[in-house]
Amino acid sequence: MSFRDDRRARCSRRRFLGTAGLAGAGALLPLPWARAIAATGGAFAEVPAAASGIHWRHVAGISPQMYEPETNGAGCAFLDYDGDGWMDIYLVNSGRSDFYTPPHSLRNALYRNNHDGTFTDVTEKAGVSGGGYGMGVAVGDYDGDGHPDLYVTQYGRNILYHNNGDGTFSDVTERAGVAAPGWSTSAVWFDYDNDGRLDLFVCQFAKFDPKIWCGDKLTHQKIYCRPNVYPSMPSWLFHNNGDGTFTDVSKSSGIAASLGKAWGVVAADVNNDGWMDLFVANDTVANFLFMNHRGRFEETGALAGVGYSEFGLARSGMGVDAGDYDQDGWLDLFVSNIDHEMFALYRNQHDGTFSDAAASDGIAAATLMLSGWGVKFFDFDNDGNPDLMLVNGHPEPQIARLAHGVSYDERPLLFRGDGRGGFVNVSAGSGAVFQQAFAGRGLAVGDFDNDGAVDALISVNDAAPILLRNQAAAGRHWLGVRLIGKKSNPDAIGAKLTYRAGDLERHRWQVGGGSFLSAHDPRLVLGLGARRKLDWLEVRWPQPGGSIQRFTELPVDRYITITEGDPGWK
């Protein structure tokens, strides 16, 4: 079947959708909020390179041969690599591979935060320039020394950079045993066996063959192949041995039994049993929900209702995230798909199953003609309610010629949540970036200027990244929390925070990974809205029956650090 024939078949299926819910696609902003945001020029403002100092761009190596990896990368990250309390930035680039020889040297980039809104390129000094066709990045303190380490996924082999704590990193991939040859995409650090150490899950995409030709047989016009022409592959799970090495437990854990074409992954305890589960987005293959049974995984995606669409079809899953968007105490799931498939918002039914609420919330209608990648639940306006940002862009540069109403460059979306399960599309009034079309891929969120308003970083295929400063939370109160595990894993992945401020009570989780090829600020910002006092904060540390600590007399409008077992905060 040609690309055009396949597109026609998928479009014909969509005729049964009708027009229900389409009114939500262009929903108007709530008036009081809209007026406040309009006065600032939008919820988010782009920080130009001349102001930030980030003079770097992604190079995809786009070629007439249209090799599949060219159009899918790459990712980005916020991290505090030097421990100064300010978010630095890491950007992933392509590079030499068996299908691409760059005309000049390409490298990833690490930018140190100068505390004044600007960044300095420290890549060479830090020793993290990469060394292959890069895809994504995962950040985690795998050895518990207090310094975040970098795992860079690539087509070919991956790289583990150990943070030396002096501003430099060392490539310890071979000793650690985590090269994972093949085509890796997203990765996530999480503690799957509750031994207090961060383990590593790595998505593997299809078995790519540069010799496969795809296109229109009538016109001989070449296009990028759909993933269904490539064989499915198993992903990897590496167990942290506690001595700087890892053991491949993909087979013994049950992970390798499921063959997929994995793009995105998030680690989250979706059944509240204290064991971290995995939700994996697959392209043209059913999504996976790996339920953790004390260190062994059972794949339940189809049974849980998150594997296929409501029509029983495998979609083109790319980005994923987990968050309690309706504040019922259970984590829900989100996955972005390609055009004519709609994105999915899976509401947790508390019994191991999920229902897709995207249509009722207007998300399905707004995303019908879009192709999504990076996605993140976060409270961008600090009112205490989870919101949602989506980064979009089609993988086929010629799509406008092949399909009516679909474009390669697409606008991002911003949805404002009400904390009860409702969303409003506020993209139209949230800043100039939401009126711009580009080939968005990765999305990382983090507060790079430490003002309590969570900012965003978007990676763009074959172009410069976009740094966004949050202007929507001005005047709203907040508390930023950094968690440090002791008995639990160092990054406290899996911890649950519950807090109350007057009439507001909310739940937040420290999930692992999420989005697409990207990593986020590890600090959690708890929005209070107009409330000036936080009554109490409870931290439930990871593991079954994990200890619960309650804190009162907490400050607002600042960041604090809470260490597991310590009675106070810093």
Side-chain angles (χ1 to χ4, degrees), residues 64-78:
Q65 291 75 29
M66 295 187 178
Y67 297 120
E68 199 72 16
E70 297 171 357
T71 188
N72 298 305
C76 55
F78 281 114

Side-chain angles (χ1 to χ4, degrees), residues 534-539 541 549-554 562-563 566-569:
L534 187 69
D535 298 327
W536 51 263
L537 166 66
E538 280 189 354
V539 180
W541 297 94
Q549 292 181 264
R550 174 175 281 220
F551 301 88
T552 58
E553 303 301 324
L554 290 164
I562 295 176
T563 301
D566 288 358
W569 49 267

